[in-house]
Amino acid sequence: MAKTISKKKSNTIKLNFDTSWSYAPAPESKSAATINKQYDLFINGEWVKPSGGKPARLNDDSRSGGYFDTINPANEEKLSEVAEANVADVDKAVKAARTAYEKVWKKMPAKERAKYVFRISRMIQEKARELAIIESLDGGKPIRESRDFDVPTAANHFFYYAGWADKLEYAFPNRKTESLGVAGQIIPWNFPLLMAAWKIAPAIATGNTVVLKPAETTPLTALKLAEIIQESDLPPGVVNIVTGAGATGAAIVNHPDINKIAFTGSTDVGKIIQRAIAGTNKKATLELGGKAANIIFEDAPIDQAVEGVINGIYFNQGHVCCAGSRLYVQESIAKQVIKKLRDRIESLIVGDPLDKNTDIGAINSRQQLETIHKYLDIGKKEGAEMYQSSCSLPGRGFWCRPTLFTNVAQSNRIAQEEIFGPVLAILTFRTDDEVIEKANNSPYGLSAGVWTDKGSKIFNMTRRMRAGVVWANTFNKFDPSSPFGGYKESGFGREGGLHGLLPYLNLVN
Ligand code: NAP
Ligand code: MG
């Protein structure tokens, strides 16, 4: 569309309002990152070969142990191969963590421990660019997110908990605290480096030692973090990083000399872990799935709310436990909001995760893409109306167009179950009571969002909503000083903030 504005009859300025323009590619350079061909296990401050033989796998006997590939989900190319830890390797890591705990770490003055934690934070900052590139290559998330969110927030976590290390008497006044011992930590693939930071930073700052397992599809930034830890001169064995799949995680959970399990992942695996540790005196925090309700009232600033909803569900391809995957819009503005959402998803840029313009990167794995497609079929069969962006998708790799469903019923599976992809289910409501009942009608209770002009309404909603975090007129905001965690099947325990110290401590008087 071209518009002509005439200044004088003889002098016309032609303004071009063509809407079909697109950004020129702006790819981040892969050459700023070093990825080894092969990675061993990081045990006792050293790189150790896996003992091989039969791996500790749960459902797949076809692999003989040793190493497995990690690929780039944006083009399915192999990035590196990574050691698979079996039961014997996990035992070696736990022994190293126990020795480091008894002989060095628990005896070290807290202010000395803090210096190491602080140093790790600074080294993450120094290597931020490389870490962001590797995060996007290994997991498929847009570089803008890994660069501006994952990596700086990971560094902030170490920085924040370094500060607490020698101030526990202020965190728990008049109480004496004691570290627990060896923490087994198991993390998912959606925020690989950030989840490692959420787990390791509070654990070591409070005097515990760690055996951590990253997810099978995204091990590389945790292994880069191991390199940083080695370079930081952290005493050997304080942090051990063992790679592998579910059975490696199970080997950690079942190890008799682990004092605490910190797990982030699916509710199904969370339940398996809870069963496995029942009757032991292992402490646990479980950060599990979610199905967050994002609620827009008719008095909300609509454009701001639409942008928040877009960020809430399409951020990181919807691979976010607290993603705003259920949208409740007040009936009077539903038509307007849905139109704006459709227009906005049409403008989202889907493609190369390393391109700085990309809004939506690759789905993390073929398996996750299949899960998302399964839910798209379920949604259509349930009678909901599906709308997808018309963008073209790359030929190779795992991709999903940003999708929204309208005409969704509260009982539909797409409104009840976690999809973990860029898929929004839109429902409507008339009154406050109705929307609270609908929002709380979920097995999960991790997070929620409220969009309204009225402060009183915000307080009313946050008080009555069964969700660990409720964002008001914003969404997906994180800070190391804020606690995070769920109700119901979203798990228990809190990570972050002062609350995040307690799961790693015993209060002894
Ligand atoms: P997952 O299948 O539960 O896996 C999480 C981790 O547990 C992975 O490292 C996995 O290994 C390992 N694992 C699998 N089976 C195990 C077992 N039997 N014993 C011990 N460990 C085992 O979850 P996911 O699909 O990777 O992650 C997505 C889920 O995480 C979603 O449900 C999401 O909501 C949740 N999540 C929650 C939060 C939160 O803070 N609440 C944050 C992020 C994600 P492999 O994958 O390597 O096989
Ligand atoms: Mg990968």
Side-chain angles (χ1 to χ4, degrees):
M1 170 181 39
K3 194 170 177 179
T4 306
I5 298 180
S6 44
K7 261 175 111 188
K8 280 188 212 153
K9 272 203 170 141
S10 59
N11 182 13
T12 55
I13 306 167
K14 206 169 179 201
L15 296 180
N16 198 359
F17 290 141
D18 190 349
T19 51
S20 61
W21 53 269
S22 58
Y23 289 99
E28 173 57 286
S29 167
K30 277 187 217 166
S31 62
T34 308
I35 299 177
N36 297 347
K37 280 206 157 94
Q38 193 179 72
Y39 284 93
D40 291 325
L41 306 167
F42 184 65
I43 297 176
N44 209 22
E46 289 173 349
W47 295 96
V48 178
K49 298 238 163 281
S51 48
K54 202 120 183 101
R57 286 188 65 76
L58 285 176
N59 304 318
D60 177 6
D61 288 336
S62 62
R63 293 198 325 216
S64 63
Y67 296 85
F68 63 93
D69 293 348
T70 185
I71 64 160
N72 177 350
N75 57 20
E76 298 170 65
E77 280 168 18
K78 174 174 165 179
L79 292 167
S80 180
E81 52 184 45
V82 175
E84 179 157 34
N86 64 16
V87 174
D89 298 317
V90 168
D91 184 52
K92 212 184 280 177
V94 174
K95 286 200 168 99
R98 175 61 58 194
T99 307
Y101 177 70
E102 298 294 348
K103 299 224 159 113
V104 185
W105 201 240
K106 83 169 179 189
K107 294 185 193 158
M108 190 181 283
K111 72 174 198 301
E112 294 305 314
R113 281 202 310 259
K115 290 180 191 168
Y116 289 104
V117 185
F118 181 68
R119 192 180 297 162
I120 294 168
S121 163
R122 291 305 307 252
M123 291 174 73
I124 292 174
Q125 286 174 325
E126 280 160 19
K127 293 182 193 288
R129 184 174 176 206
E130 184 182 23
L131 288 165
I133 294 169
I134 295 175
E135 200 71 305
S136 286
L137 284 170
D138 202 17
K141 68 173 62 194
I143 187 76
R144 231 174 40 212
E145 279 167 23
S146 38
R147 181 196 63 192
D148 299 346
F149 177 69
D150 295 57
V151 177
T153 317
N156 278 348
H157 247 80
F158 281 99
F159 183 78
Y160 175 80
Y161 280 108
W164 271 124
D166 62 349
K167 300 177 193 69
L168 297 178
E169 60 194 290
Y170 300 100
F172 307 102
N174 305 318
R175 306 294 301 270
K176 195 169 167 334
T177 59
E178 213 175 61
S179 51
L180 303 177
V182 179
Q185 307 184 319
I186 299 161
I187 57 174
W189 42 261
N190 55 348
F191 293 94
L193 181 69
L194 182 56
M195 288 297 123
W198 276 30
K199 297 280 180 277
I200 296 172
I204 63 173
T206 48
N208 302 279
T209 58
V210 162
V211 176
L212 174 122
K213 187 196 92 68
E216 184 182 9
T217 57
T218 54
L220 293 181
T221 45
L223 293 164
K224 278 277 156 187
L225 182 60
E227 287 177 0
I228 287 175
I229 284 168
Q230 194 177 35
E231 221 181 295
S232 77
D233 277 337
L234 186 77
V238 173
V239 173
N240 304 275
I241 296 183
V242 291
T243 40
T248 307
I252 295 175
V253 169
N254 295 323
H255 196 290
D257 201 27
I258 292 269
N259 302 98
K260 183 205 159 66
I261 298 294
F263 172 78
T264 297
S266 61
T267 297
D268 286 349
V269 174
K271 287 178 181 171
I272 293 173
I273 291 177
Q274 225 181 341
R275 276 196 291 273
I277 62 174
T280 72
N281 56 9
K282 290 174 188 168
K283 269 195 162 191
T285 35
L286 303 178
E287 301 282 359
L288 310 176
K291 190 78 185 174
N294 216 344
I295 300 170
I296 310 185
F297 287 97
E298 61 191 1
D299 60 6
I302 304 287
D303 288 333
Q304 194 182 323
V306 165
E307 213 41 47
V309 170
I310 294 282
N311 168 45
I313 180 64
Y314 302 118
F315 169 60
N316 199 25
Q317 298 72 249
H319 298 337
V320 185
C321 49
C322 51
S325 51
R326 287 184 292 159
L327 173 63
Y328 291 96
V329 197
Q330 199 150 18
E331 217 170 74
S332 52
I333 53 163
K335 226 169 146 183
Q336 182 191 2
V337 168
I338 290 166
K339 167 148 190 355
K340 281 179 188 276
L341 284 169
R342 286 174 58 142
D343 289 349
R344 186 66 181 94
I345 64 174
E346 197 55 41
S347 69
L348 292 173
I349 301 171
V350 183
D352 180 6
L354 283 194
D355 193 316
K356 292 164 195 153
N357 296 318
T358 294
D359 296 307
I360 299 188
I363 299 301
N364 184 266
S365 64
R366 183 183 299 282
Q367 195 188 357
Q368 187 57 28
L369 184 59
E370 282 166 6
T371 303
I372 296 168
H373 282 159
K374 181 188 87 181
Y375 277 105
L376 298 186
D377 288 342
I378 289 172
K380 284 185 277 183
K381 280 195 195 119
E382 284 177 323
E385 245 170 71
M386 185 172 88
Y387 176 77
Q388 290 191 305
S389 147
S390 64
C391 64
S392 57
L393 299 179
R396 292 194 68 192
F398 315 129
W399 306 94
C400 179
R401 293 191 174 84
T403 304
L404 59 82
F405 278 103
T406 54
N407 281 340
V408 180
Q410 179 71 25
S411 57
N412 286 169
R413 287 181 64 189
I414 55 167
Q416 288 290 332
E417 296 174 22
E418 186 181 44
I419 302 174
F420 226 55
V423 183
L424 178 66
I426 305 180
L427 301 94
T428 59
F429 69 95
R430 287 183 185 171
T431 66
D432 295 16
D433 287 345
E434 180 190 349
V435 76
I436 285 171
E437 197 175 316
K438 284 180 165 173
N440 284 339
N441 177 351
S442 162
Y444 297 110
L446 192 55
S447 64
V450 184
W451 299 85
T452 168
D453 196 29
K454 308 259 179 318
S456 55
K457 206 176 260 177
I458 290 171
F459 286 119
N460 182 33
M461 299 300 290
T462 50
R463 206 169 37 81
R464 295 170 65 194
M465 224 128 53
R466 300 278 297 157
V469 181
V470 184
W471 286 289
N473 292 329
T474 187
F475 208 85
N476 271 346
K477 289 279 180 267
F478 293 89
D479 187 275
S481 62
S482 298
F484 184 84
Y487 284 87
K488 299 190 274 186
E489 292 204 10
S490 292
F492 52 78
R494 293 292 179 265
E495 289 186 313
L498 192 150
H499 302 68
L501 293 167
L502 196 54
Y504 290 99
L505 292 167
N506 279 325
L507 300 178
V508 285
N509 69 357

